[in-house]
């Protein structure tokens, strides 16, 4: 199957694209776009990959579902388009960045600038029906994104995997902690973050310290 995705990713993920589950997933997603309003727009489904080629990945942040409100999702987990109000989780991420490294909250919640520096912002499920959280779970996206994480964990060294919340931590449980830095905390959503465990995690400074120690340029958060 010929999937429109950045070439370095297409080469490595072609075995997944040729599997039966991915053919079924493609049929499902195509039908959903035909009958419902689906986020993100079709040309942005693989935006995270297109902005961050395989060999440029330094950091992987794992989310769960795209935002399901109008104008929010554009293919990067936790990120929203310019001019869109910050969802609560993103507000808390910016609060932690301010506390951790002193960077003020930006005017826009668009995290494309992170992607361009080597942060792969990967949702476990890459599409969703408008207003229906989790509506595309269990259709095959999770199998595909598991393969993406395996490809990175096996094919690269000294990456930082940021796993917020139990779901992301289960998804990244297999990652070799001797080969990569794996940072875990509770999810930044208000219900989880306010219970403790997200604020004060220092994931942004710890990521940059690790990157520097392995000869990489740090991320400008």
């Amino acid at each position: 199957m010929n999937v429109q995705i950045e070439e370095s990713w297409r080469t490595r993920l072609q075995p997944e694209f040729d599997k039966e589950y991915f053919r079924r997933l493609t049929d499902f997603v195509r039908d959903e776009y035909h009958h419902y309003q689906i986020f993100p727009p079709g040309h942005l489904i693989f935006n995270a990959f297109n902005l961050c080629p395989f060999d440029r990945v330094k950091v992987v942040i794992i989310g769960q579902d795209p935002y399901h409100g109008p104008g929010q999702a554009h293919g990067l987990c936790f990120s929203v388009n310019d001019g869109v109000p910050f969802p609560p989780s993103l507000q808390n991420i910016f609060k932690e960045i301010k506390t951790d490294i002193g960077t003020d909250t930006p005017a826009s919640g668009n995290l494309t600038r992170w992607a361009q520096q080597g942060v792969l912002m990967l949702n476990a499920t890459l599409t969703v029906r408008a207003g229906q959280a989790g509506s595309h779970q269990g259709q095959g996206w999770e199998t595909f994104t598991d393969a993406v994480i395996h490809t990175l964990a096996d094919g690269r060294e000294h990456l930082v995997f940021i796993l917020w919340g139990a779901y992301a931590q289960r998804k990244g449980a297999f990652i070799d902690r001797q080969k990569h830095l794996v940072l875990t905390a509770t999810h930044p959503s208000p219900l989880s973050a306010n219970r403790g465990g997200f604020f004060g995690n220092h994931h942004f400074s710890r990521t940059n310290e690790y990157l520097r120690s392995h000869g990489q340029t740090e991320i400008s958060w």
Side-chain angles (χ1 to χ4, degrees):
M1 181 175 292
N2 183 25
V3 175
Q4 300 303 307
I5 192 172
E6 192 274 333
E7 182 62 22
S8 67
W9 284 109
R10 189 194 61 76
T11 300
R12 289 169 175 84
L13 297 173
Q14 191 62 50
E16 297 303 307
F17 299 148
D18 291 336
K19 290 179 180 177
E20 183 59 31
Y21 88 85
F22 198 87
R23 295 179 189 276
R24 291 195 303 270
L25 170 63
T26 300
D27 289 342
F28 167 78
V29 171
R30 188 179 292 120
D31 187 68
E32 287 282 293
Y33 273 94
H34 183 69
H35 288 98
Y36 303 96
Q37 185 178 21
I38 304 299
F39 299 130
H43 70 284
L44 294 176
I45 291 174
F46 296 110
N47 195 29
F49 302 90
N50 296 334
L51 290 171
C52 191
F54 179 84
D55 290 323
R56 292 190 56 223
V57 176
K58 301 176 184 178
V59 181
V60 182
I61 301 177
I62 298 177
Q64 189 164 356
D65 241 21
Y67 294 124
H68 53 83
Q72 293 180 305
H74 64 125
L76 309 177
C77 71
F78 296 107
S79 178
V80 292
N81 281 301
D82 292 328
V84 175
F86 300 170
S89 291
L90 186 56
Q91 292 180 34
N92 286 338
I93 289 169
F94 287 143
K95 285 179 185 176
E96 175 58 23
I97 290 173
K98 172 66 173 176
T99 301
D100 187 13
I101 60 176
T103 301
D104 290 331
T105 297
S108 173
N110 188 329
L111 304 180
T112 295
R113 60 191 178 83
W114 291 6
Q116 293 169 335
Q117 296 176 79
V119 182
L120 182 71
M121 284 168 278
L122 180 68
N123 276 315
T125 303
L126 299 189
T127 54
V128 68
R129 279 190 200 175
Q132 297 184 41
S135 51
H136 284 189
Q137 292 177 6
Q139 297 293 334
W141 278 130
E142 296 91 341
T143 301
F144 171 70
T145 51
D146 282 349
V148 171
I149 298 166
H150 272 282
T151 299
L152 282 164
D154 296 343
R156 296 286 308 279
E157 291 186 342
H158 308 312
L159 299 179
V160 181
F161 289 87
I162 297 178
L163 311 178
W164 292 326
Y167 183 90
Q169 289 163 32
R170 287 194 300 272
K171 199 166 178 71
F174 68 88
I175 298 167
D176 185 350
R177 268 68 169 170
Q178 302 302 312
K179 190 177 179 182
H180 304 286
L181 177 64
V182 178
L183 300 175
T184 63
T186 57
H187 196 275
S189 64
L191 186 62
S192 299
N194 292 332
R195 289 184 185 143
F198 180 77
F199 295 119
N201 63 48
H202 300 290
H203 282 181
F204 304 97
S205 59
R206 290 171 67 188
T207 292
N208 282 347
E209 288 165 8
Y210 184 83
L211 293 174
R212 284 196 303 270
S213 73
H214 289 92
Q216 297 266 14
T217 305
E218 64 185 40
I219 305 298
S220 177
W221 301 107

